[in-house]
Amino acid sequence: MKNFITLIAVLIGVSGFSQDKERTSLPVAIQIKTAVLAAPEDQREGAKVYGYSESGELEVLREGSNYMVCIGDDPSKEGIQVTCYSKKLEPFMERGRALKAAGRSEAEKRQIRAKEAADGSLEMPDAPSAFFVLSGSEENYNKNTGDLKDGKFRYVVYIPYATAESTGLPIKPEAPGMPWIMDPGTHRAHIMISPISKN
């Protein structure tokens, strides 16, 4: 019985490794095609794109020529999720990635970036800046073409230090799909517009 349990554990581990390996080795062109699906169509061709190397490291797959930056799907996480955002958010996002790589917790990241935004060492957007998130299931993703069916969008607009008073928005959604402001009055204040569930 013990040998059987060990065998099952090994097979599960091998299966998991194979799936991860298969996902991390997706061709650059496929990673780029999937990543830019989160961007408005007219901004996809010129977007800068980050993706993942064979070893799972985030790296630049394509330099951009417009004001949009996209991040490809992280193969170590369940499901498919890609993001695109205004170039004005890049210093904020890059700092977050650097702090995460240094082993900082989410709470520490927020505290550090808040301090740096306040003292001016972290550049924040000087105007409302868009952030688009497209997510979906593995079952609806075609790794051969880079297409994702039935994906759901979440729309975010960063507007540092904005409040309910300055925007007229509530601090929580009161109806499905209603925009609201999250983290009001802070460096990371942003307007949230979540997808309406079809259930």
Side-chain angles (χ1 to χ4, degrees):
M1 183 64 177
K2 184 182 292 185
N3 290 339
F4 177 73
I5 292 173
T6 301
L7 177 61
I8 293 298
V10 168
L11 288 175
I12 290 173
V14 169
S15 173
F17 175 79
S18 298
Q19 290 174 1
D20 285 348
K21 181 66 175 177
E22 187 175 24
R23 288 286 309 287
T24 55
S25 61
L26 287 178
V28 167
I30 296 297
Q31 290 194 60
I32 290 173
K33 182 177 178 180
T34 304
V36 301
L37 291 176
E41 191 170 350
D42 64 349
Q43 298 173 31
R44 293 175 183 174
E45 186 175 340
K48 179 177 182 177
V49 181
Y50 289 91
Y52 290 84
S53 67
E54 287 285 341
S55 60
E57 298 296 318
L58 189 67
E59 61 182 15
V60 176
L61 300 183
R62 184 181 79 187
E63 293 293 348
S65 59
N66 64 15
Y67 49 86
M68 188 62 59
V69 179
C70 297
I71 308 289
D73 178 63
D74 184 345
S76 69
K77 295 182 179 178
E78 186 177 351
I80 304 296
Q81 179 171 288
V82 291
T83 60
C84 293
Y85 53 85
S86 165
K87 191 175 182 180
K88 284 181 173 287
L89 282 166
E90 183 66 339
F92 176 72
M93 297 299 174
E94 176 58 36
R95 185 62 174 137
R97 291 192 291 267
L99 290 170
K100 181 179 178 181
R104 300 287 191 160
S105 68
E106 187 61 33
E108 288 175 320
K109 281 167 52 180
R110 290 191 182 195
Q111 184 178 37
I112 292 169
R113 286 193 290 187
K115 179 180 179 299
E116 293 175 348
D119 68 21
S121 59
L122 175 60
E123 182 182 356
M124 296 299 294
D126 56 2
S129 299
F131 184 96
F132 307 101
V133 183
L134 175 64
S135 58
S137 67
E138 296 276 355
E139 293 75 20
N140 287 333
Y141 180 61
N142 186 328
K143 65 177 185 283
N144 296 313
T145 65
D147 294 315
L148 178 64
K149 293 190 305 180
D150 299 324
K152 289 186 176 181
F153 272 100
R154 184 168 75 250
Y155 304 100
V156 180
V157 180
Y158 277 84
I159 182 167
Y161 305 107
T163 63
E165 292 77 13
S166 69
T167 61
L169 293 169
I171 59 172
K172 62 180 180 180
E174 297 175 2
M178 180 181 185
W180 59 288
I181 189 161
M182 187 174 186
D183 296 328
T186 72
H187 72 291
R188 50 178 283 115
H190 54 283
I191 299 167
M192 293 282 292
I193 306 172
S194 296
I196 299 175
S197 175
K198 295 179 181 178
N199 296 335

